[in-house]
Amino acid sequence: MKILVYGAGAIGSFFGGLLSDKNEVILVGRAPHVHAINQSGLRISGLVEKVVYPRACTDLSDLEEQDIVIVTVKAYDTMKAAEAIAGIVGKETTIVSIQNGLNNISILDEKFGDRVIGGVTSIGVTHISPGHIRLAGKGDTIFGSLRKNLERLRIIVEIFNQSGIESRPTENIIGEIWLKVIVNSSINPITAIVRKKNECIMIEPELRDLAREICEEATVVARTSGIMLPLADPFQRVIEVVSATKENFSSMLQDIERGKKTEIDEITGAIVNQAKKIGIKVPINETIWRLVRALSVN
Amino acid sequence: MKILVYGAGAIGSFFGGLLSDKNEVILVGRAPHVHAINQSGLRISGLVEKVVYPRACTDLSDLEEQDIVIVTVKAYDTMKAAEAIAGIVGKETTIVSIQNGLNNISILDEKFGDRVIGGVTSIGVTHISPGHIRLAGKGDTIFGSLRKNLERLRIIVEIFNQSGIESRPTENIIGEIWLKVIVNSSINPITAIVRKKNECIMIEPELRDLAREICEEATVVARTSGIMLPLADPFQRVIEVVSATKENFSSMLQDIERGKKTEIDEITGAIVNQAKKIGIKVPINETIWRLVRALSVN
């Protein structure tokens, strides 16, 4: 299969790197990372140790139509990504979003319809240096779609599993995406504000209470919006994720410390906006949203 | 008059320094500040330029009974201060609290009864270096008491005014203290979290909205508790204070950056605790409280 990863940061490079064993993979990313990969391959360390040699480039010019385009850009860039990839997407191309944030697959769906598959992953990959990433936490990756494109879904799950990426299909991808956003909204903004490792949410009772209340507000928004969450108590997942990533500094905190834009609008902001739409008050999430926006480059 | 200032930081040194023109003043503070004052006097710059020579010391041993003890310690030290000053307080001594926080005068009242006068000041003084403070903003100082000790109140106002500190009595000192706590709770914690100058609350619409909501929650707590606030809309005062102090970094932010304890429990925490007592929800103040506690040494 011809697979292009659009937005080859840590996660995108990891998927593309593993898929390159059985497929013709192109990673599209930033210049330093791309040059390092073209020079000496992509080094994966941590729970997997290998060097792989996918093709890498910084833009899409001169590229032909792909079988699969995996979109792994930051959520605030999904709209731009949809436009950028249009030239390499044909009728048979499947577009797979594996991103944070609530609205990615509906943005892609608007442009590409039933060619879109949504994905949610719980693996943890971090960027070490150009050309070098680290698998810090294992987890599974779930795929599903808004429409009846079961054949595309089956193929995506099969291709990922064939390359050793544990995957499964779901009939409730929207519920999975919401659950991930709820969990992210309960962890990342707190760690970004207090500038501590994820473990702070386990260690400090007040931050744990705050995370729980953020989670409860967001859960009410999801349920009132008719979303079937795959867990009765999403806060259980918050605690699982914090336990599994306790030594990590969240990407949102890293973005703030590096003066980069955060995904706060697509995570907490998306929950607050949905709450407004359905007439529910979420004062805690709204407060958190405002504070992180004030801390971020927007 | 024999006047002792207990907790001679910026504000306490300023009052003691000015009062020393017509009174016998002792400043009790930290060693470097005390030594500098004993060596070369207290230098006041900014809107007032003078050097004054009050006596200064680091503790109360060997000191005799005072006519007036002005308490200007941080609010979390009021209980300790009440014990420390007991030996220099006689039947005729008047104890004046000029502090932030909601509960100082009731703590002092419990020990000293009708000898206590409460004060609220809007002057802005900053500590420049040991022995050197700066008057950054003018303002008036208001005194009042929980009980009928009008003669003590009259004398305090007179003594302050005689030394050029604009002062007036109020019959509603509790309302003034609440107003100041509401204003502080609407400004200081936000600036401490986002680590910006006070002006951020004027410049960034989201922080202004957040300040307004903090203020509104706190105002409901005050009114429901039967407090008569001296202003119909306390947020008006928030905007006035921010305008007058826009270049300042709040003391709460400075405390966090220096790894020092903050007054968050005595400001936002006091509002949240009062809200709980009367059965009102203040989710925004509670969130802010938790975040600043997580940022502070407690």
Side-chain angles (χ1 to χ4, degrees):
Chain A
M1 289 268 185
K2 288 185 176 146
I3 302 178
L4 182 137
V5 176
Y6 192 73
I11 284 277
S13 299
F14 178 75
F15 287 136
L18 291 201
L19 290 168
S20 71
D21 66 343
K22 293 200 166 60
N23 303 277
E24 216 175 290
V25 170
I26 305 175
L27 302 181
V28 181
R30 286 175 203 273
H33 192 51
V34 162
H35 294 327
I37 293 170
N38 284 332
Q39 205 143 46
S40 359
L42 171 72
R43 184 175 160 210
I44 306 174
S45 54
L47 302 176
V48 166
E49 291 279 354
K50 59 161 77 178
V51 180
V52 290
Y53 299 89
R55 190 173 150 197
C57 54
T58 57
D59 65 65
L60 298 174
S61 40
D62 306 326
L63 293 180
E64 56 186 343
E65 199 176 297
Q66 301 289 310
D67 297 315
I68 299 170
V69 176
I70 302 175
V71 177
T72 47
V73 296
K74 294 273 196 179
Y76 48 75
D77 278 335
T78 303
M79 195 86 76
K80 265 195 249 167
E83 282 162 26
I85 62 176
I88 53 160
V89 167
K91 275 190 187 159
E92 300 306 318
T93 307
T94 298
I95 296 101
V96 183
S97 154
I98 311 179
Q99 302 171 270
N100 289 319
L102 219 44
N103 301 316
N104 302 298
I105 63 170
S106 62
I107 291 169
L108 294 168
D109 182 84
E110 215 164 277
K111 202 164 175 91
F112 302 115
D114 65 6
R115 287 169 289 179
V116 178
I117 298 288
V120 170
T121 188
S122 57
I123 62 165
V125 187
T126 52
H127 187 88
I128 304 290
S129 59
H132 184 191
I133 58 174
R134 186 165 159 274
L135 178 63
K138 287 202 173 177
D140 58 356
T141 302
I142 306 170
F143 294 105
S145 77
L146 297 180
R147 302 174 186 242
K148 287 186 179 133
N149 44 6
L150 294 181
E151 186 53 18
R152 290 179 191 263
L153 179 56
R154 193 190 60 71
I155 291 171
I156 294 299
V157 170
E158 190 177 285
I159 286 172
F160 272 69
N161 277 318
Q162 276 171 354
S163 290
I165 305 161
E166 270 180 56
S167 304
R168 60 181 174 82
T170 175
E171 289 185 355
N172 181 20
I173 188 67
I174 294 296
E176 296 287 352
I177 288 172
W178 264 92
L179 177 60
K180 180 140 200 215
V181 168
I182 291 172
V183 170
N184 280 340
S185 72
S186 307
I187 301 172
N188 303 11
I190 293 180
T191 63
I193 292 171
V194 303
R195 305 189 186 212
K196 295 181 182 175
K197 287 180 183 173
N198 287 1
E199 64 179 4
C200 68
I201 289 166
M202 296 164 65
I203 295 174
E204 300 185 32
E206 281 162 349
L207 295 183
R208 190 181 167 118
D209 288 348
L210 178 55
R212 189 194 307 273
E213 289 184 0
I214 290 171
C215 184
E216 284 171 0
E217 274 189 1
T219 301
V220 170
V221 175
R223 296 231 163 93
T224 312
S225 305
I227 308 298
M228 286 220 319
L229 293 174
L231 261 186
D233 178 14
F235 192 66
Q236 197 185 316
R237 181 67 55 86
V238 170
I239 292 303
E240 285 166 19
V241 171
V242 167
S243 308
T245 60
K246 52 180 189 279
E247 290 297 317
N248 293 12
F249 292 99
S250 74
S251 59
M252 197 172 279
L253 171 54
Q254 292 181 45
D255 287 340
I256 285 174
E257 294 197 328
R258 291 172 188 160
K260 284 171 63 181
K261 191 169 173 174
T262 68
E263 289 182 311
I264 191 70
D265 288 352
E266 289 72 24
I267 295 174
T268 306
I271 290 167
V272 174
N273 285 332
Q274 177 62 17
K276 278 190 185 145
K277 210 181 285 177
I278 60 175
I280 287 181
K281 292 212 164 163
V282 287
I284 300 174
N285 277 284
E286 193 163 17
T287 299
I288 295 288
W289 186 23
R290 286 171 169 156
L291 291 172
V292 176
R293 277 183 67 89
L295 287 168
S296 319
V297 181
N298 289 303
Chain B
M1 291 269 184
K2 288 186 178 146
I3 302 177
L4 181 136
V5 176
Y6 193 73
I11 283 278
S13 299
F14 178 75
F15 287 135
L18 291 202
L19 290 167
S20 70
D21 65 344
K22 296 199 164 60
N23 302 278
E24 216 175 290
V25 170
I26 305 176
L27 302 181
V28 181
R30 287 174 202 276
H33 190 53
V34 162
H35 294 327
I37 292 169
N38 284 332
Q39 204 144 44
S40 359
L42 171 72
R43 183 175 159 210
I44 306 175
S45 55
L47 301 175
V48 166
E49 292 279 353
K50 58 162 76 178
V51 180
V52 290
Y53 300 89
R55 189 174 150 197
C57 54
T58 56
D59 65 67
L60 298 174
S61 41
D62 306 324
L63 293 180
E64 57 187 343
E65 199 176 298
Q66 301 290 309
D67 298 313
I68 299 171
V69 176
I70 302 175
V71 176
T72 47
V73 297
K74 294 272 194 181
Y76 47 76
D77 278 335
T78 303
M79 195 88 76
K80 263 194 253 167
E83 282 162 26
I85 62 176
I88 53 160
V89 167
K91 274 190 186 158
E92 299 305 318
T93 307
T94 298
I95 296 102
V96 183
S97 154
I98 312 179
Q99 302 170 270
N100 288 320
L102 219 44
N103 301 316
N104 302 299
I105 63 171
S106 61
I107 291 169
L108 293 168
D109 183 86
E110 214 163 278
K111 200 163 177 97
F112 303 114
D114 66 5
R115 286 170 289 178
V116 178
I117 298 287
V120 170
T121 187
S122 57
I123 63 164
V125 187
T126 52
H127 187 88
I128 304 289
S129 59
H132 183 193
I133 57 174
R134 185 166 159 274
L135 178 63
K138 287 202 173 179
D140 58 355
T141 302
I142 306 169
F143 294 104
S145 76
L146 296 179
R147 302 172 185 244
K148 287 189 179 128
N149 43 5
L150 293 181
E151 186 53 18
R152 289 180 191 263
L153 178 57
R154 193 190 60 71
I155 292 172
I156 294 299
V157 170
E158 189 176 286
I159 286 172
F160 272 69
N161 277 319
Q162 277 171 354
S163 291
I165 304 162
E166 270 179 58
S167 304
R168 60 182 174 83
T170 174
E171 289 185 353
N172 181 19
I173 188 66
I174 294 295
E176 296 286 350
I177 288 173
W178 263 91
L179 178 60
K180 179 141 199 213
V181 168
I182 291 173
V183 170
N184 280 339
S185 73
S186 308
I187 301 173
N188 302 12
I190 294 180
T191 63
I193 293 170
V194 304
R195 305 189 185 210
K196 296 180 183 177
K197 286 181 183 171
N198 287 2
E199 65 178 4
C200 68
I201 288 166
M202 296 164 65
I203 294 174
E204 300 186 32
E206 281 161 348
L207 295 183
R208 189 180 167 120
D209 288 348
L210 178 55
R212 189 195 308 272
E213 290 183 359
I214 290 171
C215 184
E216 284 172 0
E217 273 189 2
T219 300
V220 170
V221 175
R223 296 231 163 94
T224 313
S225 304
I227 307 297
M228 285 222 318
L229 294 174
L231 260 187
D233 178 14
F235 192 66
Q236 196 185 318
R237 181 66 56 87
V238 171
I239 292 302
E240 285 166 18
V241 170
V242 168
S243 308
T245 61
K246 52 180 189 280
E247 291 297 317
N248 293 12
F249 292 99
S250 74
S251 59
M252 197 172 279
L253 170 55
Q254 291 181 46
D255 286 341
I256 285 175
E257 295 198 327
R258 290 172 187 160
K260 285 171 62 183
K261 191 169 173 174
T262 68
E263 289 181 312
I264 191 69
D265 288 352
E266 289 72 23
I267 294 174
T268 306
I271 291 167
V272 173
N273 285 331
Q274 177 63 17
K276 278 190 185 143
K277 210 180 286 176
I278 60 175
I280 287 182
K281 292 211 164 162
V282 287
I284 299 176
N285 277 284
E286 193 163 18
T287 299
I288 295 288
W289 187 22
R290 287 170 168 157
L291 291 172
V292 176
R293 277 183 68 90
L295 286 168
S296 316
V297 182
N298 289 305

